[in-house]
Amino acid sequence: MLIIFNPTAGQRRRQRLDRALAVLRRLGRDFTLVETGHPGHAAQLAREAAAEGRGVVVAAGGDGTIAEVAAGLAGGGAALGVLPLGTANVFAWELGIPVRPEASARLLAEGEGRLVHPGEARFAGGGARLFVQMLGAGFDAAVVANLDLGLKQRIGRGAYVWQAVRELGRYRFPSLRVVFEDDETRVSSVIVSKGRLYAGRHLLAPEAEMARPGFQVALFRGSGPVAAAAYGAALPLNLLPRMPGLVLRHATWLRIEGEGVAVQTDGDPVGRLPVEVRAAPAPLRVVLPRVTGVASAA
């Protein structure tokens, strides 16, 4: 088992990591801990570990770290393990991975491999990005792109709320063109969701399925700061899917166009529109809680 940890994440995350490692040692599990040194390093380390024949490669961090490790494992035989040490831990909540370090470490020792189907974003310059939970274009991506990372380390999810309030006063809400296989539409923001949850345990896409290719796409037709504030207020109440001006639809492919508009995947800024979104070429095996009567992908 290889465990990949980003040392820039802060002392609190390192303390939580130490608690998880102590459990693995008590359970007699062999592991190697490596730390990332630069952006993209986690994907490189994961790719090398899979090539060396490691059975499990663990992402110890938030959703961005998980997505980077998953990208390194794409198409290989190693399973993705997760020690959720992030701010929102959406991927962990989505798949039933415990967020308490001791419990998530025990899952690594006792869980089973099951398949999930990530998404893939392709940009005009030829770059590609794998995502495991969601892709956003528009207002939410502007919040992520302009987030003060130092403030995020100090106050956690509150930093996103603060940045959202700031963006309400300056974001221009340009119209985005979303092209599907059979039609197209105009919206102010888009979230392409692999899972049901967004920004923690908040419901966004109730019919999304991680275990199948494709997405549930949230199309935000309401534009301007008032509509954006209303969507934000509905989110923690789990009322967002029922909000006027929000349309949810399934897709296996789409293209989002808009001049200079930010794009984020799994909570990290990744570029600007246009972007083409499709299912990743291969599924990913993830260490998850055992389910009685369901065959594993181990």
Side-chain angles (χ1 to χ4, degrees), residues 196-276:
R196 300 172 301 109
L197 306 180
Y198 177 83
R201 288 179 282 178
H202 307 311
L203 184 65
L204 169 64
E207 295 182 10
E209 295 184 69
M210 299 284 283
R212 295 185 180 182
F215 320 95
Q216 194 166 27
V217 183
L219 303 168
F220 294 84
R221 301 193 188 280
S223 183
V226 174
Y231 292 140
L235 180 64
L237 301 175
N238 288 327
L239 296 176
L240 188 53
R242 291 190 259 166
M243 286 292 288
L246 175 62
V247 176
L248 293 167
R249 61 168 290 175
H250 289 282
T252 56
W253 178 93
L254 66 150
R255 180 177 173 84
I256 310 171
E257 301 174 355
E259 186 175 350
V261 175
V263 178
Q264 62 92 6
T265 59
D266 297 323
D268 284 339
V270 293
R272 303 275 171 177
L273 295 180
V275 65
E276 183 179 303

Side-chain angles (χ1 to χ4, degrees), residues 11 33 49 60 79 131 192 214 218 224 259:
Q11 187 60 33
L33 176 67
F131 62 95
V192 182
E259 186 175 350

Side-chain angles (χ1 to χ4, degrees), residues 1-283:
M1 184 186 299
L2 181 74
I3 300 175
I4 299 174
F5 175 67
N6 179 359
T8 65
Q11 187 60 33
R12 182 173 177 272
R13 289 193 187 184
R14 184 174 289 277
Q15 291 170 352
R16 297 181 68 216
L17 173 67
D18 289 342
R19 288 162 53 190
L21 299 184
V23 170
L24 290 175
R25 292 188 184 101
R26 285 200 300 270
L27 293 173
R29 296 306 300 260
D30 292 330
F31 63 86
T32 302
L33 176 67
V34 293
E35 297 184 352
T36 59
H38 53 80
H41 197 193
Q44 175 189 335
L45 291 169
R47 193 175 301 112
E48 293 170 353
E52 292 168 0
R54 298 267 187 177
V56 179
V57 180
V58 179
D63 291 313
T65 300
I66 294 167
E68 193 172 329
V69 172
L73 298 180
L80 170 68
V82 176
L83 289 174
L85 307 177
T87 303
N89 298 313
V90 186
F91 188 72
W93 287 117
E94 183 74 43
L95 293 173
I97 298 171
V99 297
R100 195 166 64 87
E102 293 83 357
S104 57
R106 186 171 292 277
L107 172 62
L108 291 177
E110 300 174 352
E112 64 180 4
R114 300 212 306 276
L115 295 180
V116 301
H117 286 258
E120 184 179 69
R122 291 188 171 272
F123 293 89
R129 178 84 173 205
L130 183 140
F131 62 95
V132 294
Q133 187 69 27
M134 49 81 182
L135 174 148
F139 182 77
D140 87 312
V143 171
V144 170
N146 297 317
L147 187 69
D148 183 331
L149 297 182
L151 185 64
K152 178 184 174 183
Q153 282 194 2
R154 293 194 299 273
I155 67 172
R157 272 184 277 187
Y160 289 93
V161 177
W162 171 250
Q163 191 61 45
V165 172
R166 295 186 65 193
E167 294 300 327
L168 285 174
R170 64 187 186 186
Y171 187 69
R172 300 299 184 187
F173 295 91
S175 176
L176 309 182
R177 179 174 178 245
V178 185
V179 181
F180 296 97
E181 291 182 312
D182 54 355
D183 66 352
E184 63 179 70
T185 188
R186 288 274 179 178
V187 297
S188 66
S189 288
V190 184
I191 297 175
V192 182
S193 191
K194 276 300 311 172
R196 300 172 301 109
L197 306 180
Y198 177 83
R201 288 179 282 178
H202 307 311
L203 184 65
L204 169 64
E207 295 182 10
E209 295 184 69
M210 299 284 283
R212 295 185 180 182
F215 320 95
Q216 194 166 27
V217 183
L219 303 168
F220 294 84
R221 301 193 188 280
S223 183
V226 174
Y231 292 140
L235 180 64
L237 301 175
N238 288 327
L239 296 176
L240 188 53
R242 291 190 259 166
M243 286 292 288
L246 175 62
V247 176
L248 293 167
R249 61 168 290 175
H250 289 282
T252 56
W253 178 93
L254 66 150
R255 180 177 173 84
I256 310 171
E257 301 174 355
E259 186 175 350
V261 175
V263 178
Q264 62 92 6
T265 59
D266 297 323
D268 284 339
V270 293
R272 303 275 171 177
L273 295 180
V275 65
E276 183 179 303
V277 186
R278 61 178 64 193

